[in-house]
Each structure stands twice: as C-alpha cells, then as structure tokens.
Amino acid sequence: MAKLVINEKRKKGHINPEIYGHFAEHLGRCIYEGLYVGENSDIPNVNGMRKDVVDALKEMKIPVLRWPGGCFADEYHWKDGIGPKESRKRMINTHWGGVTEDNSFGTHEFFELCEQLGCKTYVNGNVGSGTVQEMSEWVEYITFNGVSPMADLRAKNGHEAPWKLDYFGVGNENWGCGGNMTPEYYGNLYRRYQTYVRQYDAANPVRKICCGANVADYFWTKGVLETCFKAPQPGSGLLLDGLSLHYYVHPEGWDIKGSATDFDDKVWYKTLAKARYMDELISRHGAIMDEYDPEKKIGMIVDEWGCWFTVEPGTNPGFLYQQNTMRDALVAGISLNIFNRHCDRVKMACIAQMVNVLQSVVLTEGPKMLLTPTYHVFHMYRHHQDAELVDSYIDGNKIIGAEDEYQVPFLDESVSVSEDGYLNITLNNLSATEDAPVVISFAQLKPAEITASILTEEMHAHNTFDAPETVKEMPFTAYEVKDDSIFLTAPACSVISLRVKNA
Ligand code: AHR
C-alpha cells in the first residue's frame, strides 16, 4: 500500500490564487457565443454576458482572466473596440479562421465581465503591430482617474470611473506570432514599451508581464532576462513583475496532435507523461530566473497551458474546438499539483482557454452549456487558492505506463493548509486500470472533520449536450480513519479532493 506522508507543520510557500487563472481570446466561439451573446440575445444574459456561464465560473472561483489574446493580442487595436457598437471597426481575425471580428466585445465589455465574475484583470497589450503610444493610451484609458484625453474619452463612452487593471502583458509570443523577434530585440522593445505603462494609481499598481519562452526555449529566457532584468539606475526598481511561459500538451506532437476522445492506453500514458514535463520546464526556466533574481521577486506566469488536440470532426480548424475527457481531468490535476509545488516561483497560470477553445472548463452549443471534467478539477482544487503549501510525498509510489519513455508515477498529490485551518489534499490516480490503496499519515494532525469529493470514470468518459452529467464531481465517503491515519482506495483514473480538520 502506498503512503501519503504529510508534514503539515512544514510550510513551503503561499499558493497565489492566480495559479488557478483562465484565458479568453478572440478565437472561435470563446468570446462570442461562449461568453458574450449581446444584450438582445434570447440566451439569458446580464449586459450581454451569458448568465449560465458566468454563474458556473463564479462557482468554480475564477481568480483572474487574461484577454484579448494570445496571437490575437498582437494584432488588436483597442480603439477599434470602444464607442457605439454600430460604428466599431470590423476587422479580419487573421490568426483564427479569417472570420470578421466586429469588435462588439472590447475594453468596456471585458471589465464588465470581470466585474460580474468577481475576478482580477489581466490585459495583454500589442507589441507586434501596435505602437508605444497606443499601449500607453490604453493603460491611461483604463486606469487614469482625473482629467486627461483618455479618461475623458472613457467617460464619454459611458464609464466615468477608472477600472482596476491588475496585470498587463507587454506582448504575447513575440518569438512567434507576436512579431518573430529575437530575445535581445524583444528585450529592448520590452524595456521601451513598459516605460509607458504608467502607474496612475500608486495604491493599485499594474503588474507588468514580460513575454517569456515557448516550452524549452531556455535561450529565450536567458536572452530576455539579460536584456531586461537590470534596472536603468540603481534603486529604480525592476522593469518586470512576471515572465511568461507557454506549454501545451500535444500527445502526438505539434503536427498531428491527436484525437481528444479516441485514444488507447499508450496515448493515455504518453499524454500524462507530457503533462508532467511541465515540472522540468518550471525547474529549468526557474533556475535561469534564479541566476538573475535569487530572491524570486519576479513571478513565473504560465499564462497558456493545457491539452491541444485535433479539432472535433466537422468543426472549423481555425476555431480550435475540442472535447474534454477524464484524460483532460488528469492533465489538469497533474498540472495544478505541479504549480502548487512550485508556488515559490509560479505566481499565475492561465489554462487555455476558458470556453469552447482547447482545454475548456465550459462548452456551449446555442443556449446549452456543459461543464467539462476539467471544470470539476478546478472546482475540487479551489481550496488551494490562497492557502499555504505544506510538505508531502508518496512513499512506495510505483512507476506505471506503457513505454519506458512515457512512464508516470501511480499517484500524484499536493497538500496545503487554508486560513480556516483545513488541510486540502488533492490526490490523482494516474493508472487507466488499477485502483490504488493509500494510507494518509500526518505529523501531528488527528483527522476529525473530513469532507471529500471524487471525479472518476473510464478514461474516455466525457460530457455531451445530450448527456451533460456523465462525468461529475461526487461526494466521496469510502475512507476510514484508524490510528490517526486515513485509509482509502483511489479508483483507477481518478481525482480526489479531501479537506481535513484537526480534532
Ligand atoms: O491558445 C491558442 C494560441 O496558442 C494563442 O493564441 C497563442 O498565444 C498560442 O500559440
């Protein structure tokens, strides 16, 4: 029997709620249809935002939302998306399906959405095809409180008060779709553009995110930090608060990707092993960050992660619409446990993307909405937000999997303690077929009040609009407390969440 050993006395770092963040791009049916249907829609909405989707995301405790891209960010000109909707500019969304973007969802709508969700705001600016002035004016438009050309324009467009801008990304994937730049070139542009991201409200500083690497491009991380890390004058402060990292799991590689629902055992383990690669990426990029920033003042911002499969048959290839099975649930569980364990460096992570695109938590079809297995994992893990990570490991963990290259541990966990004194344990069984008996031991805690839930089904299981509750979070009571330890069996292919209080 494997033993989950918890030393709840040994705190290892604070889990920033933003680690449970999300991303919504002007891509396919994410914004339009998925989130925004307009005030005149028959679908119940509040100021154009779908009520069913907003309610579900609030229940999941969404902490932060990144917008408007992605690749779309570096061709987005924010002034096209303000003012009367009928006169907003129509443009081609060249990255995503070549469809017409009518700009009916813009800055005002984004902040309205975040207000309804009760979450922090992360706006990604345009370095690839935008000017310094344009970026500077956007920040002024959003945050300046007083008389200024942009604040006046905001008031004229119906919003007198400034909004709270928590994070601002200075470009996206500038090594690729955001301008095909070299690290030094981007690093110098970053220095320049971020200068004009002014802090108009000292009590609510805008945290600046610099574009980081794709997957294992350590050369980019090194080159950008070499160029950007050093402040212009001693004592003038850092130029960046965060450095991003993007990593997607493609079971069969970037070109082929692979089906979201049709896979065998081999591909199951391959996918999970690829998800676990995130741990190495964070450690190695983190080691480079440590060379410059040993005090870990700069956060690693994993603002795009998740499974990227072949699109659902018959759907627009540019819309990146995919189904979501128990395999996605395990990828989410593994990834969130990794982020928790690296909470000393990882300060935000945004799964891509929130609705109807890639590894979504919500799918919609006309007026219908369903919650994916990934949604349930975020819901089960929500207690880790703002908690303190504590020491844990699994003694006697087996290695399982189909091929040498793609083996994974049987069990995977992370543990934290919340302010209310509850210990939060999230435990995944990565086997497609084998149940795992586990005993959970503590340093001093005597388990008293326990609440637990489970997500488990066979590996291909997923929700459809005809059967939206095939996979859902269920109460879990199949545990026993004996000699101050908890005994349970984690079924094959499962995610379990336990909250435990001391007697
Ligand atoms: O999430 C889809 C795309 O993946 C984003 O637009 C881009 O940043 C990344 O390549």
Side-chain angles (χ1 to χ4, degrees):
M1 179 184 293
K3 187 173 187 178
L4 165 52
V5 183
I6 300 174
N7 181 355
E8 70 280 3
K9 293 283 145 202
R10 186 147 177 257
K11 305 232 166 66
K12 299 184 81 178
H14 183 73
I15 299 174
N16 227 18
E18 285 88 325
I19 283 180
Y20 290 81
H22 290 261
F23 168 40
E25 179 166 8
H26 288 241
L27 195 180
R29 297 185 302 112
C30 183
I31 299 284
Y32 301 112
E33 286 186 48
L35 289 160
Y36 182 74
V37 287
E39 293 84 344
N40 301 325
S41 172
D42 289 340
I43 298 173
N45 68 84
V46 177
N47 297 330
M49 312 298 157
R50 279 185 82 126
K51 206 175 152 352
D52 51 355
V53 175
V54 166
D55 288 348
L57 296 170
K58 276 166 76 176
E59 170 60 30
M60 190 193 67
K61 207 175 161 192
I62 175 174
V64 65
L65 181 60
R66 174 178 184 238
W67 169 85
C71 294
F72 182 79
D74 282 277
E75 63 177 348
Y76 181 61
H77 300 284
W78 69 272
K79 284 187 185 164
D80 298 347
I82 56 170
K85 293 204 176 176
E86 41 316 335
S87 49
R88 291 189 192 177
K89 210 184 251 177
R90 292 159 81 85
M91 66 183 279
I92 314 162
N93 191 335
T94 56
H95 278 291
W96 305 120
V99 293
T100 303
E101 161 66 56
D102 70 2
N103 278 304
S104 55
F105 188 98
T107 305
H108 290 248
E109 291 74 21
F110 172 68
F111 283 93
E112 164 72 23
L113 174 63
C114 291
E115 215 164 284
Q116 290 188 24
L117 293 170
C119 73
K120 289 193 176 168
T121 56
Y122 175 6
V123 170
N124 211 116
N126 178 350
V127 171
S129 70
T131 64
V132 176
Q133 181 180 356
E134 188 180 355
M135 184 178 286
S136 169
E137 286 183 340
W138 200 5
V139 174
E140 181 188 325
Y141 187 88
I142 296 169
T143 63
F144 187 71
N145 191 10
V147 177
S148 86
M150 291 303 115
D152 293 352
L153 185 58
R154 184 186 67 228
K156 191 175 144 227
N157 287 331
H159 209 276
E160 183 92 37
W163 292 285
K164 188 162 179 294
L165 177 59
D166 296 293
Y167 298 94
F168 192 83
V170 181
N172 167 74
E173 296 196 350
N174 303 95
W175 38 261
C177 66
N180 289 307
M181 302 174 192
T182 63
E184 291 73 22
Y185 180 72
Y186 169 74
N188 279 312
L189 280 188
Y190 177 84
R191 291 181 75 93
R192 176 169 168 231
Y193 275 65
Q194 70 77 37
T195 306
Y196 303 95
V197 175
R198 300 292 189 199
Q199 302 289 357
Y200 292 113
D201 179 359
N204 294 303
V206 180
R207 308 219 181 272
K208 295 181 256 189
I209 316 280
C210 175
C211 169
N214 187 32
V215 197
D217 188 352
Y218 303 113
F219 179 73
W220 178 273
T221 301
K222 180 97 190 151
V224 165
L225 285 176
E226 192 61 32
T227 315
C228 292
F229 185 74
K230 210 160 169 267
Q233 289 106 29
S236 63
L238 292 175
L239 302 183
L240 64 159
D241 298 291
L243 182 66
S244 65
L245 169 66
H246 289 183
Y247 171 54
Y248 287 98
V249 172
H250 309 290
E252 304 295 359
W254 168 252
D255 292 339
I256 302 176
K257 297 191 177 71
S259 162
T261 49
D262 185 13
F263 53 89
D264 59 15
D265 271 34
K266 250 183 166 172
V267 178
W268 162 270
Y269 289 111
K270 200 173 183 178
T271 311
L272 300 193
K274 287 189 174 191
R276 282 176 43 79
Y277 180 50
M278 179 68 89
D279 188 64
E280 178 177 331
L281 292 173
I282 295 173
S283 299
R284 294 186 64 181
H285 285 291
I288 299 171
M289 292 173 81
D290 286 350
E291 287 171 27
Y292 294 86
D293 173 34
E295 292 170 42
K296 297 188 180 1
K297 290 184 179 153
I298 300 174
M300 190 184 290
I301 309 293
V302 190
D303 53 16
E304 287 187 33
W305 69 271
C307 292
W308 188 326
F309 302 126
T310 308
V311 296
E312 283 303 296
T315 64
N316 186 330
F319 282 12
L320 311 185
Y321 177 73
Q322 65 190 39
Q323 251 297 354
N324 198 294
T325 66
M326 276 304 296
R327 180 174 56 158
D328 294 80
L330 267 297
V331 167
I334 290 168
S335 307
L336 294 171
N337 279 345
I338 292 172
F339 299 145
N340 283 350
R341 292 195 295 260
H342 284 281
C343 65
D344 59 335
R345 180 61 89 180
V346 176
K347 296 299 170 192
M348 191 198 302
C350 304
I351 191 169
Q353 299 190 4
M354 196 158 71
V355 188
N356 292 335
V357 171
L358 302 179
Q359 192 176 345
S360 303
V361 289
V362 169
L363 300 179
T364 66
E365 192 182 83
K368 294 186 196 160
M369 178 201 80
L370 66 79
L371 307 178
T372 66
T374 301
Y375 174 94
H376 294 293
V377 174
F378 271 82
H379 188 257
M380 292 165 75
Y381 275 59
R382 70 194 185 287
H383 303 292
H384 284 306
Q385 292 188 31
D386 234 348
E388 300 299 313
L389 180 79
V390 301
D391 196 34
S392 68
Y393 66 93
I394 291 171
D395 200 17
N397 209 357
K398 283 198 300 194
I399 299 294
I400 55 171
E403 292 168 40
D404 286 355
E405 204 193 334
Y406 296 116
Q407 292 199 317
V408 295
F410 196 9
L411 294 161
D412 174 83
E413 98 297 346
S414 71
V415 186
S416 70
V417 61
S418 300
E419 222 180 305
D420 61 10
Y422 273 93
L423 207 62
N424 313 303
I425 304 167
T426 45
L427 179 67
N428 304 313
N429 179 345
L430 276 52
S431 170
T433 49
E434 198 186 336
D435 296 350
V438 187
V439 53
I440 306 176
S441 77
F442 307 92
Q444 290 173 3
L445 182 141
K446 298 189 187 316
E449 288 167 40
I450 302 177
T451 50
S453 61
I454 186 165
L455 194 72
T456 186
E457 279 296 336
E458 70 85 31
M459 65 181 178
H460 304 101
H462 57 277
N463 295 331
T464 64
F465 293 99
D466 293 330
E469 300 210 338
T470 305
V471 182
K472 68 173 183 187
E473 183 183 351
M474 300 291 283
F476 180 67
T477 50
Y479 56 80
E480 201 189 341
V481 178
K482 231 178 14 189
D483 303 328
D484 296 334
S485 296
I486 303 174
F487 291 78
L488 58 86
T489 295
C493 183
S494 68
V495 176
I496 295 178
S497 148
L498 293 123
R499 299 204 83 210
V500 184
K501 198 151 191 189
N502 199 10

